[in-house]
Amino acid sequence: MDYEPVIGLEVHIQLLTSSKLFCGCSTQFGAPPNSQTCAICLGLPGVLPVVNRRAVEYGMRLALATGCRILPECSFSRKNYFYPDLPKGYQITQYEKPLAKDGGLEICLDGGRKKRVRIERIQLEEDAGKSLHLEEGPTGGETFIDLNRCGIPLLEVVSYPDMRSPEEARIYLETLRQLVQWLEISDGDLEKGSFRCDVNVSLRPRGATKLGTRTEAKNLNSFKGVERTLRFEISRQHALLRSGKGVRQETLQWDARAQAALPARKKEEAYDYRYFPEPDLVHLQIGKKWIEQIRESLPELPSQRRERFMNQYGLRADDVRILVSTRQLADYYEGCLRLYNRPKIVANWIIRELLRELNQRRWGPEEFKVRPSDLVGLFRLIDQGVISERIAKEVFAQMVETGEKPKRIVEERGMVQVQDEREISSAIGEVLREEKENLAKYRAGKIGLFHYFVGQVMKKTRGKANPQLVNRVLKEKLGD
Amino acid sequence: MVNLEKMRVPIEEVEHIARLAKLQLTEQEKERYSVQLGQILEYMEQLSKLNLKDVPPTSHILPLKNVFREDVVKESLPQEEALRNAPQKEGGYFKVPKALG
Ligand SMILES: [Zn+2]
């Protein structure tokens, strides 16, 4: 029988607020352990949590950008479980009434096909602390707890099981991550754990509507890990179903040593979180006016911008995908266009030169100091014939390195294109004197050597000679 | 006399709740909580005798909505203070017996 995988994802996204969800502790990453805690996030008795308004607004942004319906009233609940990184013994989350419901995210599959993955709900919750496990030790291993992360606001985004392959799951995650970065509500940093993912997967006969028994894997923090785990799990379930054994509902964990997804150590009791309404937090009522205010503050979304770039500037889909990969890059592109309205030239330059320089240095946008006006200044120097395109690339590398203006670099390093016919003529004379043998071959009919002579002249002038001028003068000298 | 048997919560359920709460109970305690938990449930049962058709469920007794704080960082506790009540600590961390993932 032919089976198809059915995949759903739950993503936890750390929000970029300055303070935690229910207290004023800083959310700064990398502080000394347990230096960003207080009575509230340590779960000491008798304290009162108060909701961070910005966290709610960030959640609203994502809700609106994914077409979710923001519920007129939402509330918080306690999810009870014991783990050392959760000092209260419960996590404050949303259960009965989440922030938003019923939206979707359009993803672009390879080959340009588009697909909508429905989003079931978006909810606000607090993060837990961080555990460091040490295998060795007199007691057979110890766990060290840092509660700085405890109470940092998270959005949980739950998709419907709409994905049909590991690739689709990865593309959904990439699209969602790009969106939260675009909306500036999260840094989406996988390494810092700002973007973590739980996957669930089941198989069913192709065409069937009933879902099969699913398994889950939690807290995956790389897209490769998600793809790898799903691929493994799909083939494992496949084998089970083909051999007539059923799939057991369980939680799996990727085991690097075994290169396999193995059942996670079973908790004694199956999930029984005994949710109940959080009595210390009042309900939130989100009215139309507030929603409209947030909607107006939203930037043009990546999908809208891609569409517009293609229509307005006549760019190819592949180029647009690169230019709209981050909001900074798309803004930069249009910043250049405002000063220099030649969309294709600017797009080419950014995709080929700018990104190459950044990638070579492994730089992010914050390290890149060349302003749009300076890049445009460089284009103008080419247009005016002051430098050749080849030299311009060298100048650009210098601009990236030093942040200096193109004109200054060209002048200081004597990179101005040689326009002086006499200077070029004397360089050609030198080359022809040095290349007596080749000159004879040329005269004997090996006319392909013309380009070789041009190359030698360019070399002698260290690339500064105006190539058209070299061509003309050389032709004259050779008497063609 | 009240009927104790009627109010009892089954022992297995008491054990389940105790496990979730990470409590170890003696046989006597299980007996006692079986009755006491039953009495609590019985007490709450009174609600079902009332006509609450037009009363919306609530988790609050105060008519308050939308209590927010602005996203402003406040000073946290010093590390030593945060760790003060910890039975075990090391290098700025709370130290606990090995936890299962
Ligand atoms: Zn705190």
Side-chain angles (χ1 to χ4, degrees):
Chain A
M1 200 182 316
D2 186 18
Y3 290 98
E4 77 172 347
V6 176
I7 300 165
L9 296 171
E10 260 177 46
V11 182
H12 293 93
I13 301 158
Q14 228 178 58
L15 296 178
L16 270 178
T17 54
S18 314
S19 65
K20 292 186 179 179
L21 184 51
F22 300 118
C23 64
C25 289
S26 168
T27 58
Q28 190 100 50
F29 185 80
N34 298 302
S35 62
Q36 291 171 176
T37 65
C38 69
I40 294 174
C41 55
L42 287 172
L44 301 187
V47 294
L48 200 61
V50 186
V51 179
N52 183 335
R53 182 196 302 271
R54 183 168 291 157
V56 177
E57 295 193 336
Y58 281 2
M60 291 167 70
R61 279 200 203 185
L62 184 62
L64 292 172
T66 52
C68 284
R69 180 168 52 88
I70 294 173
L71 300 196
E73 183 161 326
C74 68
S75 62
F76 290 94
S77 291
R78 293 186 181 180
K79 177 182 180 178
N80 299 280
Y81 66 93
F82 287 102
Y83 204 76
D85 60 16
L86 191 73
K88 290 198 296 294
Y90 58 85
Q91 177 196 29
I92 302 178
T93 178
Q94 295 195 295
Y95 187 60
E96 283 137 333
K97 297 177 180 168
L99 180 70
K101 275 181 161 175
D102 301 325
L105 193 61
E106 189 180 80
I107 60 173
C108 287
L109 305 175
D110 295 333
R113 196 163 61 87
K114 284 180 182 168
K115 171 169 183 162
R116 186 178 146 87
V117 174
R118 290 169 303 152
I119 289 172
E120 186 188 329
R121 55 194 271 143
I122 296 179
Q123 65 187 39
L124 269 169
E125 60 186 35
E126 56 176 347
D127 208 344
K130 226 186 270 180
S131 312
L132 280 164
H133 303 288
L134 282 197
E135 292 296 332
E136 305 302 319
T139 53
E142 283 161 332
T143 298
F144 294 81
I145 309 285
D146 173 11
L147 296 177
N148 285 348
R149 203 178 66 181
C150 197
I152 290 185
L154 298 177
L155 282 183
E156 179 177 302
V157 180
V158 183
S159 85
Y160 278 95
D162 282 353
M163 284 147 285
R164 296 288 173 267
S165 70
E167 294 74 32
E168 285 186 15
R170 175 184 44 82
I171 294 169
Y172 168 81
L173 290 172
E174 284 167 356
T175 311
L176 182 59
R177 176 163 171 265
Q178 184 202 28
L179 182 59
V180 298
Q181 290 174 329
W182 190 278
L183 295 170
E184 293 173 336
I185 62 174
S186 173
D187 62 19
D189 193 324
L190 296 157
E191 273 163 33
K192 288 196 307 205
S194 312
F195 195 91
R196 315 193 288 269
C197 174
D198 300 348
V199 301
N200 60 72
V201 58
S202 62
L203 295 188
R204 67 178 175 197
R206 203 172 291 279
T209 48
K210 204 173 149 259
L211 295 173
T213 306
R214 64 181 207 178
T215 57
E216 274 185 290
K218 287 185 182 288
N219 263 326
L220 301 166
N221 60 358
S222 80
F223 295 154
K224 267 205 193 107
V226 169
E227 258 191 299
R228 188 180 51 198
T229 303
L230 282 171
R231 224 169 253 136
F232 177 89
E233 185 50 19
I234 287 167
S235 65
R236 190 186 72 95
Q237 290 189 16
H238 229 131
L240 283 173
L241 292 173
R242 264 200 308 256
S243 66
K245 290 178 213 147
V247 174
R248 211 174 45 170
Q249 180 158 1
E250 59 190 339
T251 302
L252 303 166
Q253 229 165 16
W254 183 260
D255 186 314
R257 241 173 297 173
Q259 284 294 301
L262 303 176
R265 254 172 290 201
K266 247 194 161 168
K267 289 187 182 144
E268 273 181 49
E269 296 296 314
Y271 304 108
D272 184 350
Y273 292 126
R274 293 159 296 151
Y275 286 96
F276 65 85
E278 166 57 84
D280 290 341
L281 288 165
V282 298
H283 291 195
L284 307 184
Q285 267 177 351
I286 299 178
K288 283 208 177 84
K289 213 177 115 193
W290 195 9
I291 294 176
E292 283 321 304
Q293 212 179 311
I294 299 297
R295 197 193 302 279
E296 275 161 31
S297 75
L298 287 184
E300 186 183 25
L301 300 178
S303 54
Q304 297 166 333
R305 205 155 191 186
R306 275 193 293 267
E307 198 76 9
R308 184 167 65 77
F309 273 22
M310 282 198 268
N311 296 334
Q312 189 174 341
Y313 304 131
L315 301 177
R316 294 184 310 135
D318 286 348
D319 290 349
V320 168
R321 199 162 339 152
I322 297 171
L323 288 175
V324 184
S325 58
T326 68
R327 193 166 147 194
Q328 286 103 324
L329 194 63
D331 285 347
Y332 191 88
Y333 174 63
E334 293 206 287
C336 292
L337 287 192
R338 269 193 288 281
L339 304 167
Y340 188 79
N341 191 21
R342 298 175 72 181
K344 283 182 191 163
I345 292 178
V346 178
N348 274 337
W349 194 278
I350 287 180
I351 291 166
R352 304 242 167 82
E353 302 306 319
L354 192 154
L355 291 182
R356 189 169 53 84
E357 295 289 341
L358 285 186
N359 291 341
Q360 258 173 17
R361 294 171 169 78
R362 297 177 178 283
W363 276 8
E366 57 287 340
E367 283 134 320
F368 182 70
K369 297 284 183 307
V370 179
R371 294 199 311 239
S373 57
D374 292 336
L375 182 56
V376 166
L378 184 67
F379 296 151
R380 296 235 155 87
L381 290 179
I382 302 172
D383 292 347
Q384 290 156 8
V386 178
I387 50 174
S388 68
E389 196 146 336
R390 204 179 69 80
I391 293 289
K393 287 173 189 174
E394 278 173 41
V395 175
F396 182 65
Q398 295 295 329
M399 289 163 69
V400 173
E401 197 60 47
T402 62
E404 273 181 41
K405 294 195 181 308
K407 208 164 168 203
R408 177 130 184 239
I409 294 171
V410 167
E411 281 164 2
E412 270 183 3
R413 292 165 210 252
M415 291 163 123
V416 177
Q417 190 160 243
V418 177
Q419 304 279 16
D420 183 347
E421 200 170 322
R422 261 188 317 182
E423 209 176 312
I424 288 177
S425 174
S426 91
I428 291 175
E430 269 178 58
V431 167
L432 294 181
R433 273 195 297 283
E434 288 162 14
E435 300 283 344
K436 282 208 176 73
E437 258 176 61
N438 283 321
L439 185 59
K441 284 181 191 163
Y442 176 82
R443 299 244 188 259
K446 215 174 169 194
I447 54 168
L449 281 167
F450 185 83
H451 299 291
Y452 170 77
F453 297 140
V454 172
Q456 292 304 108
V457 175
M458 294 309 285
K459 209 164 142 189
K460 200 164 271 299
T461 58
R462 282 176 297 142
K464 288 185 295 183
N466 178 329
Q468 283 87 23
L469 211 52
V470 173
N471 264 291
R472 185 167 63 71
V473 177
L474 184 61
K475 264 186 195 156
E476 284 167 12
K477 285 225 171 195
L478 293 171
D480 290 3
Chain B
M1 274 302 278
V2 283
N3 181 354
L4 283 183
E5 280 313 305
K6 193 181 144 233
M7 295 178 193
R8 272 177 174 279
V9 163
I11 292 289
E12 304 82 68
E13 207 163 316
V14 174
E15 287 171 343
H16 174 70
I17 294 163
R19 258 199 308 274
L20 288 174
K22 299 264 195 285
L23 293 174
Q24 275 177 332
L25 303 181
T26 64
E27 292 307 314
Q28 282 149 317
E29 282 168 328
K30 287 179 198 168
E31 277 295 318
R32 193 160 76 229
Y33 293 135
S34 160
V35 174
Q36 288 181 344
L37 288 170
Q39 285 170 336
I40 292 168
L41 292 178
E42 177 89 357
Y43 179 70
M44 299 305 287
E45 271 296 301
Q46 290 181 56
L47 284 172
S48 63
K49 293 182 188 129
L50 301 172
N51 180 7
L52 300 172
K53 197 161 59 73
D54 299 320
V55 182
T58 182
S59 51
H60 291 278
I61 49 163
L62 298 173
L64 272 177
K65 306 274 181 204
N66 292 8
V67 178
F68 291 115
R69 39 174 283 274
E70 297 308 316
D71 183 25
V72 177
V73 174
K74 283 198 183 152
E75 210 178 325
S76 293
L77 291 172
Q79 191 190 58
E80 314 77 69
E81 194 65 14
L83 293 167
R84 196 156 60 108
N85 295 325
Q88 284 193 81
K89 50 198 152 185
E90 194 180 315
Y93 291 91
F94 293 93
K95 203 163 91 176
V96 298
K98 190 180 179 185
L100 300 183

